[in-house]
Amino acid sequence: MSTNYLRSFIESVSDVPAELERWFRGMRELDERAHGLQVQLEADCQQQLRLAAEQQQHGNKRAKATGDMDSGPTLPTQPGNEPVDLDQRIEDTTAELLKLSAEKTNAAQQIYDYVDQHIRKLDKDLKTFDAEIAVERSKLGLPPIEVAGTDAEAKRSRKDGGTPHVMTSEELYQAALAAADASEPTYCYCKRISFGEMIACEHPECLIEWFHFECVGLTAENRPKGKWYCKECRKLMGKK
């Protein structure tokens, strides 16, 4: 199953670099457009300030000499010698910059969501994979795995002199349930699926065959070193 998880994850992230490159290229194009508009806006604002200063100076001159024939400051023109409405162009440029800023913010959020989606999928797959490892370890008679938890939890545990958290029987069962499918067989007196440490009855005609440690009163400390038989089979063997 581990190879299936790995193959599935690799396939799911194979297009991530190209997709991120496309997003970042789009953001760079937005930056370039925004930079050009900012340059134009600054130039228009400087020109508007210069015209305002010239108009004020021209007004002062007219106040001193009403006969002055000065026609005032020269207004900027666009192709066709039509005067440019700087106020309107400044307003339009500012609106366009705000629009580009909103597009960049939206693109950044979409990039975040896209990456976060893959991270969440990886976390889910890792949890399922850990659950399957726990099930396989229990079938092999290996002790439960230790879960270190987050970095903060690990640091707090070391600071308090504690030990890493060991999964309880119920936690192992819930993890196994999360990884199991509908056809997963059940075992033991409790009729639950395989989880945690289990032991097999050595009697060839045992009807149950596999048992959870906790259901038959076994622990890692009192694990039998030789052959083990369930109570039903022991009774059967005693009759023989």
Side-chain angles (χ1 to χ4, degrees):
M1 291 300 294
S2 60
T3 55
N4 291 337
Y5 282 125
L6 181 60
R7 186 182 303 110
S8 175
F9 179 73
I10 291 176
E11 290 175 354
S12 69
V13 300
S14 60
D15 61 337
V16 169
E19 192 69 15
L20 290 178
E21 181 182 3
R22 182 180 69 83
W23 280 110
F24 289 135
R25 185 168 58 248
M27 292 189 70
R28 184 170 61 248
E29 293 173 356
L30 292 175
D31 281 334
E32 292 174 353
R33 289 171 55 191
H35 177 70
L37 290 173
Q38 286 175 343
V39 171
Q40 178 182 322
L41 181 61
E42 291 176 2
D44 287 345
C45 289
Q46 290 293 334
Q47 190 171 13
Q48 186 77 311
L49 291 173
R50 185 171 62 254
L51 288 174
E54 291 177 359
Q55 288 176 351
Q56 183 177 9
Q57 183 179 7
H58 177 66
N60 292 336
K61 287 181 178 180
R62 293 190 61 182
K64 293 181 179 179
T66 56
D68 192 351
M69 299 301 293
D70 186 5
S71 60
T74 304
L75 297 176
T77 60
Q78 56 187 355
N81 292 325
E82 297 180 0
V84 175
D85 187 346
L86 283 177
D87 289 338
Q88 185 61 47
R89 190 162 74 178
I90 289 173
E91 182 178 345
D92 294 342
T93 303
T94 302
E96 184 65 18
L97 280 171
L98 291 174
K99 179 181 177 182
L100 290 178
S101 178
E103 290 182 16
K104 287 172 60 179
T105 301
N106 182 58
Q109 183 62 49
Q110 289 181 327
I111 292 173
Y112 176 87
D113 293 340
Y114 179 73
V115 175
D116 185 64
Q117 176 185 357
H118 285 280
I119 293 176
R120 289 178 182 274
K121 183 180 184 304
L122 175 60
D123 288 341
K124 181 179 179 181
D125 288 345
L126 286 176
K127 288 180 180 178
T128 306
F129 183 44
D130 287 342
E132 290 195 356
I133 289 178
V135 172
E136 293 300 323
R137 288 176 65 89
S138 69
K139 290 181 179 179
L140 295 174
L142 298 175
I145 58 175
E146 293 183 347
V147 181
T150 62
D151 291 340
E153 292 173 345
K155 291 179 180 177
R156 183 167 58 253
S157 177
R158 290 193 295 269
K159 182 178 179 181
D160 297 340
T163 57
H165 172 66
V166 178
M167 294 180 71
T168 65
S169 175
E170 181 62 24
E171 288 173 338
L172 286 171
Y173 175 57
Q174 293 300 328
L177 277 180
D181 53 36
S183 61
E184 188 76 17
T186 58
Y187 306 92
C188 194
Y189 301 121
C190 63
K191 302 298 182 183
R192 292 185 291 178
I193 64 174
S194 173
F195 70 91
E197 291 194 81
M198 300 186 69
I199 190 168
C201 177
E202 299 291 342
H203 197 288
E205 297 180 7
C206 182
L207 299 178
I208 300 178
E209 187 180 3
W210 283 94
F211 301 81
H212 303 104
F213 263 35
E214 65 175 10
C215 295
V216 292
L218 293 177
T219 65
E221 288 73 22
N222 66 1
R223 178 199 304 268
K225 296 181 179 180
K227 292 184 177 182
W228 180 86
Y229 298 91
C230 69
K231 60 183 181 181
E232 285 78 9
C233 291
R234 285 200 301 270
K235 291 179 181 178
L236 184 62
M237 293 168 65
K239 289 181 180 180
K240 291 181 178 179

